Amino acid sequence: MDSSGSARAAGEHLGAPLVELERVNKHFGDLHVLQDIDLTVRKGEVLVVIGPSGSGKSTLCRAINRLETIDDGDIRIDGEPLPAEGRDLARLRADVGMVFQAFNLFAHKTVLENVTLGPRKVRRVPKAKADEEGLALLDRVGVKNQADKLPAQLSGGQQQRVAIARSLAMHPKVMLFDEPTSALDPEMINEVLDAMVQLAHEGMTMIVVTHEMGFARKAADRVVFMADGQIVESATPEEFFTNPRSDRAKDFLSKILTH
Amino acid sequence: MQEYLDIVRQYDVLGAFWVNIQLAFWAAMLSLALGSVLALFRISPIGSLQWAGSAYVTVFRNMPLTIIMVFMVLGAWGQLELSLSTDFNTNFFWLAVIGLSVYHAAFVCEAIRSGVNTVPIGQAEAARSIGLSFLPAARLVILPQAFRGAIAPLGNVLIALIKNTTVAAAASVATETSSVMKTMIEFRSDYIYAIFFTFAIGYVILVTPIGLLTTSLSRSLAVSR
């Protein structure tokens, strides 16, 4: 067993519950995409959500900052129930970082402007200070020399690292990653995963929807396996990958591990 | 030829075009402002605003401009006593501007909305995810990209607007081109073709650069993704 994995698996570094989902249900028409989901993520925890496509894992991730509304159940962030549309919701979203599969960098703004927009317009940080902090964040994810370019001039891997920096600039309590490497060319996946692993080791609370098992083993405290809108299994990465309990998980793992 | 030039000078054809340019300018400003607000209504998360926006567009887009212009004079001014200036001609000028604006705002709204549709939904989601609420997200992220995507359709609305300023004749703006042309033809029917072509070509000259400009702008300002 990987040594950092075992240290994290002990769970001693974890704090109080930060994201709590209780009996969360959601339908898309007749499709019951989230079925009575109960899930608690503690401060400092890195949770990987894995599962076949259509299992509801992306919807789960998006529901946490209310990009998807839920039909019933409760979602609490840091003890506060998720507000309905409006100013309170905007305030909550500022505290919840989100990294998308398609990066979604603001196409008409430079890389640095992408990172500083939130701090300046939401947190009211003065421009000079926001720029300074933005450049430091870009440096941290290794794209400082691209600061004045437009997103379309960057590679996918660089864009995704900028997206991570953009989220970090808000000093979020928790970060959500919705398949952050699925749209990337293979040679760019590691540069993004490295940034995420670094973040995990710095103690960021993270919920990561991904199929990257290397990342799960290296950085995750816990793996949740979803299928057909339900959480089927929840275990440490080592347990889950070496000894899955449910047939669904065994079947899924055999499919992604064959090649 | 000399006589033709004398006629053009006598009836102040350039002055007539200048009136239409002013009508077009003010109506363009007002309809752009009103149309942007309507577009915001239509993309807002609030149902009643969406309804109001689409109701406005449905009503004004499907109504003949002439009827709106006649209403501005006979209804808004004649009956409701809406007066925008103590000067008779200035009053009719602004009534015409308002008539043109409320009509073209519906088209501006739809042009901007088509621009909004060129902005991927992910842009709005990213804006919301960093804590921007609806108005800041619209102002900082969605609309700047939407306007760039809407330049070509907005240019078409402007072209239509410039030509539609001639309908101001229906709002008793007597100094604008179509009224002046009618008067000229009435008194100098011996020059009917020359007069007619003067105005027809005048509009072609006035409008053509706008088409060229918006086409090149929509290319150079396109958002690269």
Side-chain angles (χ1 to χ4, degrees):
Chain A
M1 191 190 270
D2 166 336
S3 66
S4 69
S6 68
R8 297 189 66 86
E12 286 152 6
H13 61 295
L14 300 184
L18 187 56
V19 178
E20 297 163 276
L21 284 80
E22 221 173 296
R23 295 184 321 281
V24 168
N25 280 285
K26 162 127 188 128
H27 296 79
F28 282 129
D30 289 338
L31 191 65
H32 198 169
V33 280
L34 296 179
Q35 303 179 17
D36 280 323
I37 301 286
D38 287 311
L39 183 68
T40 300
V41 180
R42 292 161 62 189
K43 198 168 175 352
E45 184 170 8
V46 176
L47 176 77
V48 161
V49 183
I50 199 168
S53 70
S55 60
K57 56 193 192 302
S58 272
T59 309
L60 175 76
C61 186
R62 292 162 57 83
I64 294 171
N65 69 353
R66 210 171 184 274
L67 287 178
E68 300 284 354
T69 54
I70 56 172
D71 298 338
D72 60 59
D74 291 308
I75 299 179
R76 284 185 301 277
I77 310 254
D78 216 0
E80 307 257 346
L82 212 54
E85 219 55 54
R87 202 161 294 166
D88 290 340
L89 180 62
R91 198 173 305 132
L92 172 122
R93 281 180 176 141
D95 288 335
V96 178
M98 176 103 190
V99 175
F100 301 86
Q101 181 175 352
F103 331 132
N104 295 346
L105 294 179
F106 305 130
H108 63 307
K109 295 203 173 287
T110 65
V111 162
L112 182 60
E113 286 167 349
N114 262 276
V115 177
T116 57
L117 185 72
R120 289 184 57 198
K121 301 296 175 181
V122 178
R123 303 268 194 238
R124 304 283 165 197
V125 177
K127 182 178 185 316
K129 190 159 179 287
D131 282 354
E132 186 189 334
E133 204 180 306
L135 285 170
L137 282 168
L138 289 174
D139 194 26
R140 194 166 138 193
V141 294
V143 286
K144 188 183 176 186
N145 53 349
Q146 315 285 340
D148 296 323
K149 290 190 184 168
L150 287 171
Q153 297 170 285
L154 271 58
S155 74
Q158 289 171 327
Q159 288 193 49
Q160 194 62 300
R161 284 182 283 153
V162 173
I164 292 173
R166 175 175 67 181
S167 287
L168 284 175
M170 299 302 292
H171 302 292
K173 292 176 181 165
V174 52
M175 281 185 66
L176 312 172
F177 293 80
D178 186 6
E179 305 210 30
T181 57
S182 302
L184 294 174
D185 290 331
E187 76 270 24
M188 292 169 186
I189 290 178
N190 278 334
E191 61 192 59
V192 171
L193 291 179
D194 286 346
M196 290 167 60
V197 170
Q198 190 195 346
L199 207 54
H201 288 160
E202 285 165 10
M204 175 62 74
T205 310
M206 295 162 71
I207 298 175
V208 186
V209 175
T210 185
H211 289 155
E212 297 294 336
M213 284 182 299
F215 173 79
R217 283 175 183 261
K218 219 183 282 177
D221 297 292
R222 187 154 59 106
V223 172
V224 156
F225 175 73
M226 281 187 79
D228 300 325
Q230 290 170 326
I231 292 180
V232 179
E233 250 181 77
S234 171
T236 64
E238 207 50 41
E239 265 170 45
F240 177 75
F241 291 117
T242 54
N243 190 20
R245 293 186 302 270
S246 64
D247 290 342
R248 288 300 310 260
K250 282 177 194 157
D251 180 51
F252 176 75
L253 286 174
S254 75
K255 277 176 186 153
I256 62 170
L257 291 176
T258 319
H259 295 288
Chain B
M1 188 64 190
Q2 189 54 50
E3 200 179 355
Y4 163 74
L5 290 176
D6 286 342
I7 297 170
V8 167
R9 231 169 274 133
Q10 182 195 341
Y11 287 94
D12 195 13
V13 171
L14 284 179
F17 271 105
W18 179 236
V19 172
N20 288 75
I21 291 171
Q22 291 178 77
L23 282 167
F25 176 80
W26 292 112
M29 292 296 134
L30 283 177
S31 59
L32 188 64
L34 181 55
S36 302
V37 172
L38 288 168
L40 271 181
F41 278 19
R42 294 204 67 174
I43 62 170
S44 84
I46 301 162
S48 54
L49 290 184
Q50 288 171 16
W51 184 89
S54 71
Y56 182 98
V57 169
T58 307
V59 169
F60 284 97
R61 192 175 54 175
N62 297 316
M63 191 181 274
L65 177 58
T66 316
I67 289 178
I68 297 175
M69 296 301 246
V70 170
F71 174 83
M72 287 311 294
V73 173
L74 300 183
W77 179 68
Q79 294 296 316
L80 303 172
E81 294 175 2
L82 173 70
S83 183
L84 299 165
S85 169
T86 47
D87 178 65
F88 208 61
N89 287 327
T90 315
N91 183 39
F92 284 140
F93 176 87
W94 287 107
L95 286 171
V97 165
I98 289 180
L100 287 165
S101 301
V102 295
Y103 176 75
H104 288 93
F107 294 89
V108 167
C109 168
E110 292 305 273
I112 293 174
R113 215 162 59 96
S114 79
V116 170
N117 288 338
T118 68
V119 183
I121 181 81
Q123 296 284 309
E125 289 183 349
R128 288 151 75 194
S129 80
I130 59 169
L132 294 171
S133 47
F134 173 72
L135 275 178
R139 186 170 63 82
L140 298 165
V141 176
I142 307 303
L143 288 182
Q145 297 184 57
F147 274 113
R148 294 181 189 201
I151 287 172
L154 281 174
N156 290 338
V157 175
L158 181 59
I159 287 170
L161 166 62
I162 291 174
K163 295 190 285 183
N164 283 344
T165 56
T166 53
V167 183
S172 308
V173 179
T175 50
E176 63 81 43
T177 46
S178 67
S179 312
V180 170
M181 184 177 89
K182 237 162 117 195
T183 315
M184 285 169 79
I185 289 174
E186 224 172 285
F187 289 98
R188 298 305 303 257
S189 55
D190 50 332
Y191 273 93
I192 180 163
Y193 295 116
I195 291 166
F196 175 76
F197 278 116
T198 301
F199 286 98
I201 300 297
Y203 272 97
V204 172
I205 292 170
L206 192 59
V207 169
T208 306
I210 301 203
L212 295 175
L213 187 70
T214 52
T215 306
S216 85
L217 274 181
S218 73
R219 284 210 191 103
S220 63
L221 292 179
V223 184
S224 48
R225 300 189 191 281

